[in-house]
Short mmCIF file of all heavy atoms in Angstrom, two decimals:
data_model
loop_
_atom_site.label_atom_id
_atom_site.label_comp_id
_atom_site.label_asym_id
_atom_site.label_seq_id
_atom_site.Cartn_x
_atom_site.Cartn_y
_atom_site.Cartn_z
N ASP J 36 148.62 139.17 149.99
CA ASP J 36 148.20 140.45 150.56
C ASP J 36 149.42 141.27 150.93
O ASP J 36 149.31 142.38 151.44
CB ASP J 36 147.36 140.24 151.82
CG ASP J 36 146.02 139.62 151.49
OD1 ASP J 36 145.48 139.91 150.40
OD2 ASP J 36 145.51 138.84 152.31
N ASN J 37 150.60 140.69 150.71
CA ASN J 37 151.83 141.36 151.12
C ASN J 37 152.48 142.13 149.98
O ASN J 37 152.06 142.05 148.84
CB ASN J 37 152.81 140.34 151.68
CG ASN J 37 152.32 139.75 152.98
OD1 ASN J 37 151.77 140.46 153.81
ND2 ASN J 37 152.50 138.46 153.15
N HIS J 38 153.50 142.85 150.33
CA HIS J 38 154.27 143.64 149.39
C HIS J 38 155.58 142.88 149.17
O HIS J 38 156.49 142.96 149.98
CB HIS J 38 154.52 145.03 149.95
CG HIS J 38 153.24 145.73 150.32
ND1 HIS J 38 152.46 145.33 151.35
CD2 HIS J 38 152.62 146.78 149.74
CE1 HIS J 38 151.39 146.12 151.41
NE2 HIS J 38 151.47 147.00 150.44
N VAL J 74 151.19 146.60 141.02
CA VAL J 74 151.93 147.87 141.01
C VAL J 74 153.27 147.67 141.71
O VAL J 74 153.43 146.80 142.55
CB VAL J 74 151.18 149.04 141.71
CG1 VAL J 74 150.06 149.56 140.83
CG2 VAL J 74 150.67 148.62 143.07
N ARG J 76 156.30 149.21 144.05
CA ARG J 76 156.50 150.18 145.14
C ARG J 76 157.98 150.29 145.44
O ARG J 76 158.67 149.28 145.50
CB ARG J 76 155.81 149.70 146.42
CG ARG J 76 154.34 149.37 146.27
CD ARG J 76 153.50 150.61 146.24
NE ARG J 76 152.09 150.28 146.34
CZ ARG J 76 151.12 151.08 145.90
NH1 ARG J 76 151.41 152.24 145.35
NH2 ARG J 76 149.85 150.72 146.03
N PHE J 78 160.17 151.71 148.41
CA PHE J 78 160.16 152.28 149.75
C PHE J 78 161.55 152.76 150.16
O PHE J 78 161.85 152.90 151.34
CB PHE J 78 159.64 151.24 150.77
CG PHE J 78 158.19 150.85 150.55
CD1 PHE J 78 157.75 149.58 150.92
CD2 PHE J 78 157.28 151.74 150.02
CE1 PHE J 78 156.42 149.22 150.73
CE2 PHE J 78 155.95 151.39 149.83
CZ PHE J 78 155.51 150.12 150.19
N GLU J 86 152.86 144.67 144.57
CA GLU J 86 151.61 144.29 145.21
C GLU J 86 150.49 144.24 144.20
O GLU J 86 150.49 144.95 143.20
CB GLU J 86 151.26 145.21 146.39
CG GLU J 86 150.67 146.54 146.03
CD GLU J 86 150.22 147.31 147.27
OE1 GLU J 86 149.24 146.91 147.90
OE2 GLU J 86 150.86 148.33 147.60
N SER J 87 149.55 143.36 144.46
CA SER J 87 148.39 143.20 143.61
C SER J 87 147.51 144.43 143.72
O SER J 87 147.39 145.01 144.80
CB SER J 87 147.64 141.96 144.09
OG SER J 87 146.35 141.93 143.53
N THR J 91 142.51 146.87 146.32
CA THR J 91 143.31 147.83 147.08
C THR J 91 143.07 149.23 146.54
O THR J 91 143.71 149.65 145.60
CB THR J 91 144.82 147.53 147.03
OG1 THR J 91 145.13 147.07 145.71
CG2 THR J 91 145.25 146.54 148.06
N PRO J 92 142.11 149.91 147.12
CA PRO J 92 141.95 151.31 146.76
C PRO J 92 143.19 152.09 147.24
O PRO J 92 144.04 151.52 147.92
CB PRO J 92 140.70 151.74 147.50
CG PRO J 92 140.53 150.76 148.60
CD PRO J 92 141.22 149.50 148.17
N HIS J 94 145.99 153.78 149.07
CA HIS J 94 146.43 153.67 150.45
C HIS J 94 147.89 154.07 150.58
O HIS J 94 148.61 154.15 149.59
CB HIS J 94 146.23 152.24 150.98
CG HIS J 94 147.00 151.21 150.23
ND1 HIS J 94 146.53 150.60 149.11
CD2 HIS J 94 148.23 150.68 150.46
CE1 HIS J 94 147.43 149.74 148.66
NE2 HIS J 94 148.48 149.76 149.46
N GLU J 95 148.29 154.31 151.81
CA GLU J 95 149.68 154.69 152.10
C GLU J 95 150.33 153.53 152.86
O GLU J 95 149.66 152.57 153.23
CB GLU J 95 149.75 155.95 152.97
CG GLU J 95 148.74 157.02 152.64
CD GLU J 95 148.97 157.70 151.29
OE1 GLU J 95 150.05 157.54 150.70
OE2 GLU J 95 148.05 158.38 150.84
N HIS J 96 151.63 153.66 153.11
CA HIS J 96 152.36 152.56 153.74
C HIS J 96 153.20 153.01 154.93
O HIS J 96 153.72 154.12 154.96
CB HIS J 96 153.30 151.92 152.72
CG HIS J 96 152.58 151.29 151.58
ND1 HIS J 96 152.42 151.92 150.37
CD2 HIS J 96 151.97 150.09 151.45
CE1 HIS J 96 151.74 151.13 149.54
NE2 HIS J 96 151.45 150.02 150.17
N VAL J 105 155.53 145.69 156.24
CA VAL J 105 154.80 146.79 155.60
C VAL J 105 153.36 146.77 156.06
O VAL J 105 152.72 145.73 156.06
CB VAL J 105 154.85 146.66 154.06
CG1 VAL J 105 154.00 147.74 153.40
CG2 VAL J 105 156.29 146.74 153.56
N THR J 106 152.86 147.90 156.51
CA THR J 106 151.48 148.02 156.94
C THR J 106 150.80 149.08 156.09
O THR J 106 151.40 150.12 155.79
CB THR J 106 151.41 148.42 158.44
OG1 THR J 106 152.15 147.47 159.19
CG2 THR J 106 149.98 148.46 158.94
N GLU J 107 149.58 148.79 155.68
CA GLU J 107 148.84 149.75 154.86
C GLU J 107 147.89 150.56 155.71
O GLU J 107 147.38 150.07 156.70
CB GLU J 107 148.02 149.00 153.81
CG GLU J 107 148.89 148.20 152.86
CD GLU J 107 148.08 147.50 151.78
OE1 GLU J 107 146.87 147.27 152.00
OE2 GLU J 107 148.67 147.20 150.74
N PHE J 108 147.68 151.80 155.32
CA PHE J 108 146.65 152.59 155.99
C PHE J 108 146.10 153.61 155.01
O PHE J 108 146.72 153.91 153.99
CB PHE J 108 147.21 153.30 157.23
CG PHE J 108 148.14 154.46 156.92
CD1 PHE J 108 147.65 155.75 156.85
CD2 PHE J 108 149.47 154.24 156.67
CE1 PHE J 108 148.49 156.83 156.54
CE2 PHE J 108 150.33 155.31 156.36
CZ PHE J 108 149.83 156.60 156.31
ZN1 ZN Y 2 150.09 148.48 149.73
#
Side-chain angles (χ1 to χ4, degrees):
D36 291 327
N37 293 320
H38 304 69
V74 285
R76 306 282 190 203
F78 295 151
E86 79 174 290
S87 166
T91 38
H94 61 273
E95 321 292 346
H96 297 98
V105 176
T106 304
E107 298 182 337
F108 72 94

